[in-house]
Amino acid sequence: MSNSASSADHVVRTTPLYDRVKSVIPAIEWPAFAEDIDVILRLKRERDTVILAHNYQTPEIFHCVADIVGDSLALAREATKTDAGMIVLAGVHFMAETAKLLNPAKRVLIPDLRAGCSLAESITAADVRLLRERYPGVPIVTYVNTSAAVKAESDICCTSGNARKVVESLGVPKVVMLPDEYLAQNVARETGVEIVTWAGHCEVHERFSAKDVRQLRAGHPGVVVLAHPECPPDVVAEADFAGSTAAMIDYVAERQPPRVVLMTECSMSDNVAVQHPNVEFIRPCNLCPHMKRITLANIRRSLETLTHEVTVDPTVAAPARRAVERMLAI
Ligand code: 13P
Ligand code: SF4
């Protein structure tokens, strides 16, 4: 493929991809995406690269350039399986760090180093050490939405997709669960295990309220409400189902509700709607500003310039990897 291809060439070559997303991307916008997509696909081949994309990435990333898509758990698992020499993580920094922990010999890139997470920002390794002193002998379960340094101080990690299983696997009456207070409260209710929480919140999910759920039900009769467990417990209590982003996608795929609302980040509905044209999606929209830092333009730049490489200090990496691998073994 020549680097001097015209805009029309890019559009022609990417037309089959546009067909996948035409229900959520207006035709007039496609020429603005086509060149970056065309170049990204070429660079991926030339650079033996796999793109892992979280379910919150926008449809032109999720459906057109990603090789593997999923929730945090799936991305961590898939990161252990890829044969590619390089990984570009279209998601947030902790996801790239997790991919690096599991692939120390591979180059892991994130297109924008500022793609953080309010949960990861809410706690430090020193905080975890203090909790360990305060609750001696109580296992510390850490959500993957944390830095490698925080994981390194923990006994085991969890994601929203396996939090209940991880807590139950410990077989103890009390655990410390960090840093998402709402996820911890939701898991405590499901398991009956006493959970010491931390006051971290997801800035996207904490904005949903039980009143929103009631208003959605009143305005859209028959709507099925699916909530992410990072939502406050009263939202989860009023929802029909709570689960990770992947669990919500599976719910829609298996049950095909005529009308559904996903109480989670905006792009999820677009991505899932593409595959389920018979399902009506009601879309209250809360954007994750960190996920939205990743764009086609900076994925392309990442592949062109091999930036930004994510590294983890080896002294932190070893214990952090142990906590993630212990989770993956469950
Ligand atoms: P999952 O995709 O693992 O459910 O996580 C949601 C999330 O907020 C990731 O940042
Ligand atoms: Fe973090 Fe929430 Fe954004 Fe996920 S949606 S990356 S938990 S701020």
Side-chain angles (χ1 to χ4, degrees):
M1 189 194 303
S2 139
N3 286 341
S4 59
S6 73
S7 163
D9 293 335
H10 296 303
V11 171
V12 168
R13 280 200 289 261
T14 58
T15 296
L17 292 170
Y18 181 61
D19 283 342
R20 290 187 196 168
V21 290
K22 62 185 178 203
S23 61
V24 289
I25 298 180
I28 197 162
E29 288 180 16
W30 190 250
F33 295 140
E35 177 179 342
D36 283 337
I37 291 176
D38 205 17
V39 172
I40 289 168
L41 297 180
R42 170 174 59 83
L43 289 172
K44 274 201 309 183
R45 284 193 301 272
E46 289 175 4
R47 306 211 154 164
D48 181 28
T49 299
V50 71
I51 297 182
L52 304 188
H54 185 261
N55 292 328
Y56 294 160
Q57 292 297 295
T58 48
E60 68 279 7
I61 296 174
F62 186 90
H63 287 290
C64 301
V65 299
D67 300 288
I68 292 159
V69 293
D71 65 357
S72 316
L73 182 59
L75 296 183
R77 282 200 197 288
E78 293 301 328
T80 65
K81 294 183 193 156
T82 180
D83 293 330
M86 189 160 82
I87 295 172
V88 172
L89 204 306
V92 293
H93 192 264
F94 75 81
M95 296 176 177
E97 251 187 2
T98 305
K100 180 65 183 177
L101 289 175
L102 297 168
N103 285 282
K106 287 185 182 165
R107 195 192 294 249
V108 176
L109 304 178
I110 186 158
D112 188 326
L113 271 174
R114 296 168 303 171
C117 171
S118 64
L119 283 166
E121 284 301 309
S122 73
I123 191 159
T124 65
D127 294 327
V128 187
R129 284 192 292 272
L130 283 174
L131 284 161
R132 175 105 42 212
E133 275 174 31
R134 188 138 153 216
Y135 299 98
V138 179
I140 298 184
V141 180
T142 292
Y143 198 29
V144 285
N145 297 38
T146 45
S147 65
V150 165
K151 290 181 176 77
E153 299 292 338
S154 314
D155 295 301
I156 186 166
C157 287
C158 74
T159 72
S160 60
N162 63 12
R164 179 185 180 154
K165 246 183 167 169
V166 166
V167 167
E168 285 174 342
S169 77
L170 299 171
V172 292
K174 182 171 177 175
V175 303
V176 176
M177 191 167 174
L178 311 168
D180 188 337
E181 184 177 24
Y182 297 147
L183 177 72
Q185 288 169 344
N186 287 322
V187 172
R189 212 186 49 177
E190 282 180 17
T191 58
V193 172
E194 184 190 347
I195 299 188
V196 177
T197 62
W198 183 257
H201 299 131
C202 161
E203 67 186 88
V204 176
H205 293 93
E206 73 175 347
R207 300 212 301 271
F208 292 113
S209 69
K211 189 170 160 212
D212 293 337
V213 178
R214 289 193 289 276
Q215 281 175 347
L216 282 159
R217 290 200 195 277
H220 305 278
V223 72
V224 172
V225 179
L226 312 186
H228 194 276
E230 289 171 7
C231 290
D234 58 346
V235 172
V236 168
E238 296 228 12
D240 297 297
F241 172 82
S244 75
T245 56
M248 286 191 249
I249 293 173
D250 291 347
Y251 185 105
V252 173
E254 283 159 23
R255 306 210 196 177
Q256 295 285 306
R259 234 175 193 192
V260 73
V261 59
L262 309 181
M263 309 293 284
T264 190
E265 211 271 347
C266 296
S267 293
M268 267 277 291
S269 293
D270 288 342
N271 291 334
V272 191
V274 162
Q275 284 156 335
H276 301 287
N278 299 328
V279 177
E280 181 194 356
F281 286 79
I282 314 297
R283 301 171 195 233
C285 202
N286 282 351
L287 266 178
C288 174
H290 311 289
M291 288 281 178
K292 264 48 213 182
R293 286 205 183 269
I294 309 301
T295 62
L296 284 176
N298 61 27
I299 292 174
R300 173 179 173 174
R301 202 161 48 244
S302 187
L303 283 158
E304 284 170 342
T305 60
L306 304 185
T307 53
H308 303 274
E309 185 160 5
V310 174
T311 55
V312 185
D313 179 324
T315 57
V316 165
R321 186 178 307 120
R322 257 198 310 278
V324 175
E325 284 177 344
R326 198 171 162 202
M327 166 188 87
L328 293 176
I330 284 175

